[in-house]
Amino acid sequence: MGESAGPALRSRVLSSGAYLPSRIVTNRELATRIDTSDEWITARTGIKQRHIAADGEVTSDLAVAATREALARASLTHDDVDLVVVATTTPDETFPATATRVQAKLGMTRGFAFDIQAVCSGFVYALAVADNFLKLGQAKTAVVIGAETFSRILDWEDRSTCVLFGDGAGAVVLQAGPSIGSGGDRGILSTHLHSDGRLHDALYVNGGPSLNRQVGVVRMDGREVFRHAVVKLAEVVEEALAANGLTGADIDWLVPHQANQRIIDGMARKLGLGANRVVSTVDHHANTSAASIPLALAEADQDGRLQRGQLVLIEAIGGGLAWGAGVIRW
Ligand code: ACO
């Protein structure tokens, strides 16, 4: 007979952290370089500005800054962390994982670290993976980071894509605890992941180590992505709510991937949520890919909108196509 299993574990969010490069590029500045306008970008996307990493500032630098803030807010140090998961599409190098660069820069001498690649859905995927490690007892304290220097894979001559994205990083600290007793209802309630590789051509980068030696740049059929985004996000959100016996009315905060204000508004309408229950950062961050949800979580956590015990719904879709959702009792 083996030992009897302990109480079931649940991953709780202890804190959040964020980092945005100091340089801000407004729509008006972009319009001096390419054939676009503040009016076009604002009307189609809601984006007004984006942060762009400095020369020499790499994804792991952004990730480390966000993680340091999150650890400080949880009153923890890097010595308390045994798992680092970085969601990124813009790793420092082809290998090793950017997460191991983060581990070293933080000064960690133990634990394990790896990257997740699910483009704009990367944070939802990373959260799901870390949650499963914590629930199985294979790690106790994890940092889940979304970090991107997306500006490095943009074609700055292609006005239909380069105006949409920005750089940044967000992080949350997760810790495993019993799912019963005081605070037992708090934590990640469920995550739901999907992908369909047949939809590759809607959004991809035209380079990579196995194709050629160039990193490549983003290529996107914006209308096709939009069309799938509306349908697939609605489906996965419905799945997430149903799995927890919830309806839209139960959700305190929708914290969506920040691609486009029109997609965000469409999801809020479907859920019956007013703008006062949706966290939107797309106007000042643009689309930061895997960083967009943790940046939005950090903003709403740190300005007091997110309160302990509230129900938070996250959702994202991006290249792959890959999409997902999660329900968190904050
Ligand atoms: N400035 C001015 N005009 C532009 C720009 C620009 N930056 N970009 C494109 N245009 C022009 C086009 O050339 C086209 O001109 P034409 O009619 O003379 O040919 C016209 O604007 C309309 O172009 P469309 O691509 O049809 O514009 P659309 O209304 O579809 O809006 C957009 C484009 C904003 C990209 C939209 O399709 C969209 O939001 N798609 C979702 C894609 C997305 O968010 N991707 C992010 C990654 S995936 C994710 O995170 C969900």
Side-chain angles (χ1 to χ4, degrees):
M1 291 280 287
E3 285 176 44
S4 65
L9 295 171
R10 177 167 280 167
S11 320
R12 263 172 225 130
V13 180
L14 296 187
S15 64
S16 62
Y19 174 78
L20 290 157
S22 57
R23 174 151 159 68
I24 293 173
V25 176
T26 63
N27 292 348
R28 284 184 210 289
E29 181 181 340
L30 277 184
T32 64
R33 290 193 249 143
I34 54 169
D35 182 16
T36 189
S37 65
D38 179 39
E39 293 70 27
W40 192 97
I41 301 170
T42 305
R44 302 282 170 125
T45 70
I47 295 165
K48 300 296 280 182
Q49 62 172 49
R50 70 284 295 140
H51 291 252
I52 301 291
D55 286 347
E57 196 176 30
V58 293
T59 295
S60 61
D61 296 326
L62 278 54
V64 165
T67 302
R68 286 210 170 105
E69 184 179 85
L71 286 172
R73 291 177 66 87
S75 302
L76 296 177
T77 76
H78 55 265
D79 288 329
D80 299 304
V81 178
D82 33 37
L83 169 61
V84 177
V85 186
V86 174
T88 189
T89 293
T90 46
D92 292 7
E93 298 162 318
T94 300
F95 82 82
T98 296
T100 59
R101 303 286 293 152
V102 171
Q103 196 186 18
K105 287 181 185 182
L106 288 172
M108 282 175 67
T109 54
R110 52 180 286 274
F112 59 110
F114 58 88
D115 290 357
I116 293 280
Q117 162 59 296
V119 206
C120 295
S121 300
F123 183 76
V124 182
Y125 271 67
L127 198 73
V129 170
D131 178 38
N132 286 329
F133 273 98
L134 264 56
K135 283 193 297 201
L136 284 173
Q138 241 176 309
K140 181 163 172 34
T141 305
V143 190
V144 183
I145 308 162
E148 301 279 16
T149 46
F150 219 82
S151 59
R152 306 264 157 78
I153 55 166
L154 292 174
D155 174 356
W156 287 98
E157 315 261 282
D158 176 11
R159 66 178 183 172
S160 70
T161 52
C162 75
V163 303
L164 303 177
F165 297 92
D167 300 335
V172 296
V173 178
L174 297 183
Q175 196 162 62
S179 62
I180 48 170
S182 165
D185 60 337
R186 278 188 47 229
I188 299 173
L189 303 188
S190 68
T191 53
H192 306 267
L193 307 179
H194 296 273
S195 64
D196 185 346
R198 292 172 301 176
L199 301 170
H200 166 275
D201 291 358
L203 181 57
Y204 64 98
V205 161
N206 63 0
S210 184
L211 276 180
N212 55 49
R213 298 176 73 176
Q214 305 300 318
V215 170
V217 289
V218 173
R219 292 288 173 245
M220 181 177 77
D221 179 342
R223 290 195 168 198
E224 183 75 349
V225 173
F226 200 104
R227 202 165 62 78
H228 285 291
V230 178
V231 175
K232 292 181 165 47
L233 288 175
E235 283 171 2
V236 75
V237 159
E238 190 48 51
E239 179 188 328
L241 292 175
N244 293 285
L246 301 170
T247 69
D250 298 311
I251 298 301
D252 294 298
W253 291 104
L254 171 64
V255 185
H257 169 50
Q258 309 282 323
N260 182 304
Q261 190 62 43
R262 289 188 297 163
I263 298 177
I264 295 173
D265 291 344
M267 288 308 300
R269 260 196 313 276
K270 274 204 161 57
L271 290 162
L273 299 176
N276 59 338
R277 285 161 68 194
V278 180
V279 179
S280 177
T281 57
V282 71
D283 60 335
H284 50 292
H285 295 169
N287 181 348
T288 56
S289 182
S292 90
I293 291 176
L295 276 169
L297 285 172
E299 188 176 287
D301 182 30
Q302 296 180 20
D303 69 15
R305 274 178 288 173
L306 291 192
Q307 296 290 321
R308 286 273 170 258
Q310 287 187 328
L311 272 179
V312 176
L313 175 65
I314 61 173
E315 42 87 340
I317 186 166
L321 294 181
W323 63 101
V327 182
I328 306 166
R329 191 172 288 283
W330 196 253

